[in-house]
């Protein structure tokens, strides 16, 4: 191809530059940068440009570190909930059978790409289409600060169950059995005290980052040696140190690296093979199936008595095809069950599903609020415990987001105003810990259209303090406060100067820039100490 000389001349510089350009353009029109990265991959593939060794290594590292960070945040108890394991089993089985039979029927009709598929091969296609993307969902949940929310826990739990099914399929289809010493991996929990001690001693800088890489990559390599998929090892080592007070800090230190490495993954999707017209058309034709998958998730979750909003938000994060589906198809191609064009078909379907799902996830609260009466028709009675009406106990101040900033604000306000305030957080575990510590904290989410209806109608809240994880969560909360015509004052936290104006325009009465005000507070505290010292000297 005439563009091959460009690939040779530019090498890895080409995809890095194009990834930035398309990612930037996507962000300017309100789409996540990952959409631009996907487009970059297809542009490179169309012009015959390969990503090079750096791209391939980044893609592998991105998936490994992603699953490690998922493990750091994973609550194993969530996997034992019927809403997770039963929904996953019913959903995966239904989609595999329905999509597999549809593919086989199209094969009988002799349609291009489908022609020649036997029933077994068609079921492999159906199985590949049943997965949802761990990369997409976790990236979306982390960017919105909703990893620890109920719908975030449900979505991640389902994804983990799906990933485990992919690992089993990988082992069974390749005939590769774990080594004879693989059962020794069951003893890994005994290593948790040692791993925690190291975590406590590595400090807060570059050693912590390196320690995270050692755990993620070392865990992956250990499982590979044992004949088990390495990504599962990264997940397990994340789980081993999860739940400790410093695991959140470790996760935050790894996020920047994870995001960088995942750029390679998104680009690599578009480089799986040459796009032909039949493969392109079939890939696009498969996209409506993801809507059917989401509808099935919604129905199943509500049948297990999850709230309509929880079910909808979880379903929207699962409203896509998966990178693990590509792995399943690659195994089918390697074993001669499927033609190589199926890699392109699923890569196209996966990419288009990401492009369509991204704006839906970004607007999830708006979609629920606007069509709330429709969604609640799927809801079953009796309600779950977190759907009960909340007793605000005559509180006049509500602090949303009980992380470090919110907790500090709560303690300071309690010293000044007494027990006339409540804290609110969407993480049940955090709520329990705060209640055990004597704080009056309730489970709730201010961006939830149902939240203020669950609060008693005669609440006396006059001041709302938003200390949520990021500006997106604060803006969603402000939108709901506007919707219910909240008449009191609203203060919000910001981290960057541009966020202050955005929050004020969205209805915040005042904005507290964490970094700037922390410096000012530190200076005032120092001056107060100096003044006290001078008075003592006199």
């Amino acid at each position: 191809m005439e563009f091959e000389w460009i690939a040779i001349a530019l090498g890895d510089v080409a995809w890095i530059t194009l990834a930035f350009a398309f990612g930037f353009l996507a962000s300017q029109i309100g789409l996540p940068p990952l959409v631009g990265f996907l487009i970059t991959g297809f542009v490179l593939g169309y012009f015959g440009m390969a990503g090079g060794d750096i791209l391939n290594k980044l893609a592998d590292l991105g998936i490994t570190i992603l699953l490690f960070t998922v493990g750091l945040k994973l609550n194993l108890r969530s996997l034992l909930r019927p809403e997770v394991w039963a929904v996953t089993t019913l959903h995966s089985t239904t989609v595999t059978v329905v999509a597999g039979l549809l593919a086989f029927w199209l094969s009988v009709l002799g349609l291009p790409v489908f022609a020649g598929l036997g029933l077994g091969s068609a079921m492999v296609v159906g199985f590949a289409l049943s997965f949802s993307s761990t990369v997409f969902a976790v990236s979306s949940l982390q960017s919105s600060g909703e990893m620890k929310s109920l719908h975030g826990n449900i979505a991640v739990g389902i994804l983990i169950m799906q990933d485990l099914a992919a690992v089993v399929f990988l082992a069974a289809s390749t005939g590769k059995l774990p080594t004879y010493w693989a059962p020794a991996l069951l003893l890994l929990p005994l290593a948790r005290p040692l791993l925690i001690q190291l975590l406590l001693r590595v400090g807060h800088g570059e050693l912590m980052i390196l320690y995270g890489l050692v755990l993620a990559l070392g865990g992956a390599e250990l499982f590979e040696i044992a004949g088990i998929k390495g990504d599962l090892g990264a997940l397990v080592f994340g789980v081993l140190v999860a739940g400790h007070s410093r695991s959140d800090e470790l996760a935050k230190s790894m996020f920047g690296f994870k995001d960088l490495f995942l750029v390679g993954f998104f680009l690599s999707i578009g480089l799986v093979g040459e796009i032909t017209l039949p493969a392109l058309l079939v890939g696009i034709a498969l996209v409506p199936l993801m809507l059917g998958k989401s509808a099935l998730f919604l129905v199943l979750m509500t049948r297990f008595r999850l709230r309509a909003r929880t079910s909808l938000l979880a379903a929207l994060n699962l409203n896509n095809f998966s990178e693990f589906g590509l792995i399943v198809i690659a195994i089918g191609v390697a074993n001669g069950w499927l033609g190589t064009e199926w890699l392109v078909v699923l890569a196209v379907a996966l990419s288009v599903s990401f492009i369509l799902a991204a704006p839906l996830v970004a607007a999830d609260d708006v979609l629920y609020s606007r069509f709330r009466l429709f969604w609640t028709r799927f809801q079953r009675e009796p309600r779950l415990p977190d759907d009960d009406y909340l007793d605000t106990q005559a509180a006049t101040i509500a602090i949303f987001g009980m992380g470090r900033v919110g907790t500090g604000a709560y303690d300071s306000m309690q010293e000044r105003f007494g027990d006339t305030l409540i804290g609110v957080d969407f993480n049940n575990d955090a709520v329990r810990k705060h209640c055990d510590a004597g704080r009056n904290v309730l489970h709730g989410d201010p961006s939830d259209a149902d939240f203020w209806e669950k609060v008693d109608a005669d609440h006396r809240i006059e001041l709302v303090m938003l200390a949520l994880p990021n500006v997106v969560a604060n803006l969603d909360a402000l939108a709901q406060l506007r919707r219910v015509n909240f008449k009191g004052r609203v203060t919000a936290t910001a981290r960057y100067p541009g966020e202050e104006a955005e929050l004020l325009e969205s209805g915040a009465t005042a904005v507290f820039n964490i970094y700037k005000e922390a410096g000012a507070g530190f200076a005032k505290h120092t001056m107060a100490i100096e003044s006290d010292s001078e008075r003592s000297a006199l």
Side-chain angles (χ1 to χ4, degrees):
M1 212 172 204
E2 60 179 313
F3 293 95
E4 288 181 352
W5 68 271
I6 301 179
I8 296 173
L10 298 180
D12 291 307
V13 176
W15 67 259
I16 292 173
T17 304
L18 284 175
F20 169 77
F22 283 111
F24 177 77
L25 289 174
S27 67
Q28 296 305 296
I29 59 175
L31 292 174
L34 68 87
V35 175
F37 303 152
L38 287 167
I39 294 173
T40 303
F42 281 106
V43 169
L44 290 171
Y46 178 78
F47 289 118
M49 300 172 70
D53 291 337
I54 293 179
L55 176 60
N56 295 329
K57 290 177 181 177
L58 285 180
D60 292 339
L61 285 171
I63 298 297
T64 299
I65 295 177
L66 172 74
L67 289 178
F68 175 67
T69 57
V70 169
L72 288 172
K73 298 286 187 178
L74 183 62
N75 182 350
L76 289 177
R77 286 178 297 180
S78 66
L79 298 182
L80 302 177
R81 300 178 62 149
E83 308 94 283
V84 174
W85 67 263
V87 166
T88 306
T89 302
L90 291 171
H91 187 274
S92 296
T93 302
T94 302
V95 173
T96 297
V97 172
V98 172
L101 290 176
L102 176 61
F104 181 65
W105 178 61
L106 294 175
S107 172
V108 172
L109 294 179
L111 266 66
V113 181
F114 291 94
L117 283 181
L119 182 60
S121 299
M123 288 300 169
V124 171
V125 172
F127 185 56
L129 295 173
S130 70
F131 290 89
S132 296
S133 174
T134 303
V135 174
F136 179 93
V138 173
S139 297
S140 298
L141 290 168
Q142 287 176 346
S143 65
S144 60
E146 297 175 342
M147 272 293 291
K148 292 186 176 181
S149 65
L150 179 57
H151 68 268
N153 281 331
I154 296 296
V156 171
I158 289 173
L159 290 164
I160 297 301
M161 295 293 293
Q162 289 182 346
D163 294 349
L164 292 175
V167 171
V168 172
F169 175 81
L170 180 64
S173 61
T174 59
K176 180 182 178 182
L177 296 176
T179 62
Y180 65 89
W181 63 272
L185 295 175
L186 296 174
L187 300 176
L188 280 175
L190 299 177
R192 175 178 163 85
L194 174 61
L195 298 178
I196 294 298
Q197 282 301 314
L198 286 172
L199 180 60
L200 291 172
R201 292 175 178 271
V202 295
H204 304 277
E206 61 273 14
L207 278 179
M208 173 167 280
I209 296 173
L210 286 174
Y211 183 55
L213 290 173
V214 167
L215 290 178
L217 302 181
E221 186 63 26
L222 182 63
F223 272 60
E224 286 286 354
I225 294 173
I228 302 175
K229 196 170 187 299
D231 293 338
L232 182 61
L235 175 70
V236 168
F237 270 72
V239 171
L240 285 177
V241 295
H244 190 269
S245 57
R246 294 202 65 188
S247 62
D248 284 342
E249 182 183 351
L250 177 59
K252 290 177 182 177
S253 70
M254 300 297 294
F255 283 164
F257 288 90
K258 180 263 300 177
D259 291 338
L260 172 63
F261 295 152
L262 284 179
V263 173
F265 166 75
F266 290 119
L267 266 67
S268 66
I269 291 175
L271 297 170
V272 296
E274 183 179 352
I275 298 179
T276 63
L277 182 60
L280 176 65
L281 294 177
V282 172
I284 294 174
L286 289 175
V287 171
L289 180 62
M290 76 178 193
L291 299 177
K293 288 172 55 179
S294 294
L296 181 58
F297 271 127
L298 177 67
V299 171
L300 289 174
M301 290 178 190
T302 51
R303 294 312 88 188
F304 281 88
R305 295 179 179 174
L306 284 170
R307 255 195 316 141
R309 178 182 182 268
T310 301
S311 303
L312 176 66
L313 268 59
L316 286 175
N317 277 285
L318 300 170
N319 184 35
N320 46 61
F321 296 116
S322 171
E323 59 279 358
F324 279 100
L326 273 176
I327 294 173
V328 169
I329 292 295
I331 292 171
V333 172
N335 289 340
W337 305 333
L338 300 169
T340 56
E341 68 274 9
W342 275 102
L343 279 171
V344 178
V345 168
L346 196 61
V348 171
L350 172 64
S351 302
V352 177
S353 74
F354 281 9
I355 292 171
L356 295 179
L360 292 177
V361 171
D364 51 6
D365 281 311
V366 175
L367 288 173
Y368 180 74
S369 301
R370 187 166 297 175
F371 304 104
R372 183 171 173 273
L373 291 178
F374 172 76
W375 301 122
T376 51
R377 292 175 185 173
F378 294 94
Q379 201 162 268
R380 287 188 66 181
E381 299 292 345
R383 291 189 173 194
L384 292 175
D386 63 352
D387 278 328
D388 289 340
Y389 286 89
L390 300 178
D391 182 7
T392 58
Q393 303 166 8
T396 59
I397 302 171
I399 300 175
F400 292 97
M402 291 297 292
R404 286 176 294 183
V405 174
T407 300
Y410 182 99
D411 292 341
S412 296
M413 297 294 280
Q414 188 178 45
E415 288 180 7
R416 183 172 180 180
F417 298 103
D419 294 328
T420 183
L421 77 157
I422 57 170
V424 183
D425 201 281
F426 55 48
N427 183 352
N428 270 317
D429 291 336
V431 170
R432 281 193 290 269
K433 290 178 182 178
H434 283 299
C435 290
D436 291 342
R439 300 185 183 94
N440 183 21
V441 179
L442 307 176
H443 177 266
D445 180 354
S447 65
D448 180 355
D450 296 337
F451 174 79
W452 289 99
E453 292 194 12
K454 291 191 296 178
V455 173
D456 40 83
D458 60 345
H459 72 81
R460 303 177 186 178
I461 297 175
E462 300 173 356
L463 170 63
V464 168
M465 301 173 67
L466 300 177
L468 295 164
N470 53 46
V471 69
V472 175
N474 282 335
L475 289 171
D476 286 344
L478 286 168
Q480 292 302 329
L481 290 169
R482 290 197 306 272
R483 189 186 69 84
V484 298
N485 269 333
F486 179 71
K487 302 299 183 183
R489 292 177 296 144
V490 183
T491 61
T493 56
R495 287 171 171 78
Y496 306 104
E499 295 176 353
E500 297 176 29
E502 192 174 9
L503 289 165
L504 290 170
E505 290 173 3
S506 297
T509 310
V511 178
F512 180 91
N513 187 304
I514 294 173
Y515 300 133
K516 182 170 67 177
E517 300 295 341
F522 179 48
K524 291 178 183 177
H525 179 70
T526 302
M527 294 300 294
I529 293 174
E530 292 293 333
S531 298
D532 290 342
S533 299
E534 290 174 2
R535 284 193 293 268
S536 298
L538 294 174

